[in-house]
Amino acid sequence: MTSSQQHDPRYPDGRIRFGVFFQGVNFHTIWTDENSGSQHDFESFRRVIQTAERGLFSAFFLGEGLRLREHLGRLHDLDIAGRPDAQTQLAALAAVTERIGLVATQNTTYNDPADLAYRLASLDLLSEGRAAWNIVTTDNAWTGANFRRGGYLAHEHRYERAAEFIDAAKALWRAWPDQHVDVAGRHVTFSTDRVLPPSSQGRPVLFQAGDSSEGRDFAAQHADVIFSAHPGLDDATTFAADVRARLLRFGRAENELAFFPGQVIILGDSATDAAEKADWVRHSQVTPQTALAYLEQIWGTDLSAYDPDGPLPDIDPVQDETNETRGSPFRAQKARELAASWRAISVEKKLSIREFVIHLTSSRGLIGSYSEVADQIREYTRRGVVQGFNISPYLVPSGLDDIVNGLVPELQERGIYPTEYESTTLREELGLPAVEAAGSVAALESA
């Protein structure tokens, strides 16, 4: 056994868990293929979550899109967008499932703290301890225009408000049976007696996806699970070491935070079969129109005259017509430098516009035969750098079928995947320590 194959003794569990991630707005979900179902009908979500539960997934995770994307002054119609409200959808799905966790992405900038905490507690109570909250922040006025208070929140205050929001929510979740909470902060102020008894897991599990230094600090201080953008083995190892050091600075133990990076898994009967499927997936996700629109976000001008199978534009980006719809790369005013670097890469690798966008957006993923991918995942469990993967299916509703029918048995044979649900709450399923909340279920039952 080589050193890279040895099990890290600090992480004796040595197992992997899966979640399924529905993005709020994206072009990674293939919607043009004849095998793609509805992105809105309940039947699609029911089939996906019940397939995931059959495969012993820990969580069903819903992203959120607070505003339909616009592009060069018009509605961007190449993405999946406009899925039903997360909490409404999860409440319906709780009724057709028994064990899988239910994760709702909810924004701390535009929600009312007392109201959101109450609704999350309701989902947690009615699902018998399976609810979780993916905490996100927003600071831009473009999204804020969709809300009554608009984009009032300065960038430097978004995590400040989020921290007060979470502290207030936890106070509400601890309040039973006293039933009155007063909060007086800089960003969050309310007085309420509208509280619920805690669920069997104490309170909803808290997910967070911070990646900036400020975001990582926020996750290390407040989250139970970090949903990272670092799925590669070496990248995940570096990321986990950094965040675990931050955990210690906030006085928290390593087992108080689970790592669940986003992951794409493409399987085939052989390595060749999987590679061919991956090529089909990439080209179905990045259509010629999507490739041009991707570049237009940076160039800031209509590129429809350019051939998607030709070289990148030799003109510089427009820098005097900026707005929020062009995204954070342009807001950083690095469009010209970014375009120059992209041109250099495309020339070096001899990539057309479409092939370059595929190269840029498709670098992640575990691709191979069932046994090859199972062996790759075993390396993660040996290092203990992740506790699970949040998997994005590229097709709805059949995108998990290969994983549940073929990969899960391979992982179970290697002893690195559960063979049954081992607990009734999401918190226990993820191996997180119990919440020490006032007014526990045990206290209620003995009263």
Side-chain angles (χ1 to χ4, degrees):
M1 180 176 289
T2 67
S3 59
S4 65
Q5 294 175 320
Q6 293 174 352
H7 202 132
D8 190 324
R10 293 176 297 171
Y11 310 105
D13 183 12
R15 287 202 285 183
I16 200 82
R17 294 169 175 82
F18 287 157
V20 52
F21 173 42
F22 268 93
Q23 299 179 57
V25 178
N26 74 98
F27 64 84
H28 299 287
T29 306
I30 300 168
W31 56 274
T32 54
D33 187 76
E34 61 181 4
N35 294 313
S36 180
S38 169
Q39 306 295 319
H40 306 93
D41 290 352
F42 179 74
E43 177 59 21
S44 291
F45 301 113
R46 182 203 63 75
R47 180 177 169 195
V48 170
I49 196 170
Q50 290 185 338
T51 301
E53 192 167 59
R54 179 165 59 82
L56 305 175
F57 278 39
S58 296
F60 180 87
F61 184 117
L62 287 173
E64 185 180 50
L66 293 178
R67 178 167 176 163
L68 298 182
R69 281 211 298 150
E70 295 173 13
H71 182 66
L72 301 182
R74 61 185 183 274
L75 188 67
H76 184 59
D77 57 3
L78 298 174
D79 283 357
I80 295 289
R83 289 197 171 104
D85 168 70
Q87 288 193 58
T88 305
Q89 188 183 150
L90 293 177
L93 293 172
V96 297
T97 53
E98 296 180 352
R99 309 297 286 274
I100 192 169
L102 307 163
V103 189
T105 295
Q106 300 285 278
N107 198 292
T108 58
T109 301
Y110 303 117
N111 277 292
D112 178 86
D115 177 61
L116 179 59
Y118 186 83
R119 286 187 283 122
L120 288 167
S122 299
L123 180 64
D124 202 28
L125 191 62
L126 294 175
S127 66
E128 299 179 317
R130 293 191 284 144
W133 171 20
N134 178 40
I135 304 158
V136 295
T137 66
T138 305
D139 63 339
N140 67 70
W142 178 70
T143 302
N146 253 5
F147 296 87
R148 178 164 56 88
R149 290 184 293 271
Y152 67 93
L153 191 62
H155 180 78
E156 62 271 24
H157 292 154
R158 58 187 181 130
Y159 280 121
E160 194 175 298
R161 173 179 164 84
E164 288 188 17
F165 198 119
I166 293 169
D167 288 341
K170 287 181 177 177
L172 277 168
W173 294 333
R174 289 194 303 265
W176 184 272
D178 295 338
Q179 299 195 4
H180 193 87
V181 176
D182 291 305
V183 175
R186 180 180 180 186
H187 300 279
V188 174
T189 299
F190 63 81
S191 178
T192 183
D193 57 3
R194 188 170 177 246
V195 296
L196 288 169
S199 74
S200 51
Q201 67 173 351
R203 61 163 171 78
V205 172
L206 301 179
F207 281 64
Q208 215 274 330
D211 200 29
S212 65
S213 180
E214 189 179 13
R216 293 183 187 196
D217 273 348
F218 184 86
Q221 188 172 7
H222 298 285
D224 301 308
V225 182
I226 188 162
F227 172 34
S228 85
H230 301 275
L233 182 56
D234 292 338
D235 195 21
T237 302
T238 302
F239 180 79
D242 178 83
V243 175
R244 282 170 174 156
R246 295 168 193 258
L247 273 176
L248 296 177
R249 291 205 294 272
F250 288 106
R252 301 181 69 198
E254 285 192 5
N255 69 343
E256 293 185 55
L257 184 67
F259 291 78
F260 263 69
Q263 188 62 278
V264 174
I265 296 177
I266 301 177
L267 300 159
D269 292 331
S270 66
T272 301
D273 183 37
E276 290 175 352
K277 185 183 291 185
D279 187 66
W280 171 80
V281 169
R282 305 313 192 197
H283 283 82
S284 299
Q285 292 171 328
V286 182
T287 65
Q289 295 84 359
T290 299
L292 287 175
Y294 193 92
L295 293 195
E296 286 171 348
Q297 293 179 80
I298 304 304
W299 262 261
T301 190
D302 184 358
L303 300 177
S304 59
Y306 286 83
D307 180 0
D309 294 320
L312 268 65
D314 55 2
I315 60 173
D316 283 331
V318 176
Q319 297 204 49
D320 58 353
E321 295 180 8
T322 182
N323 61 56
E324 297 287 349
T325 68
R326 291 176 67 178
S328 57
F330 194 84
R331 275 194 292 153
Q333 297 185 348
K334 295 180 179 177
R336 185 169 297 175
E337 294 85 350
L338 189 61
S341 70
W342 284 5
R343 271 195 296 264
I345 294 170
S346 68
V347 170
E348 178 188 353
K349 296 183 178 295
K350 299 179 180 179
L351 301 174
S352 67
I353 289 175
R354 188 180 183 194
E355 295 297 335
F356 173 76
V357 175
I358 290 172
H359 166 77
L360 198 66
T361 61
S362 306
S363 58
R364 301 173 183 170
L366 301 176
I367 300 168
S369 69
Y370 298 94
S371 61
E372 288 172 335
V373 171
D375 287 340
Q376 292 177 53
I377 291 175
R378 182 159 55 185
E379 285 304 305
Y380 287 85
T381 66
R382 284 173 170 153
R383 290 199 197 182
V385 295
V386 303
Q387 282 66 54
F389 291 124
N390 218 5
I391 300 169
S392 295
Y394 50 82
L395 274 178
V396 171
S398 60
L400 297 182
D401 292 357
D402 283 354
I403 295 169
V404 170
N405 296 334
L407 180 60
V408 165
E410 291 274 355
L411 297 171
Q412 289 171 330
E413 285 181 9
R414 289 161 175 77
I416 58 173
Y417 193 85
T419 55
E420 62 181 357
Y421 281 108
E422 296 170 345
S423 58
T424 58
T425 71
L426 176 58
R427 175 169 293 278
E428 292 174 343
E429 188 63 30
L430 297 173
L432 296 167
V435 173
E436 297 298 330
S440 67
V441 171
L444 287 172
E445 290 175 346
S446 63

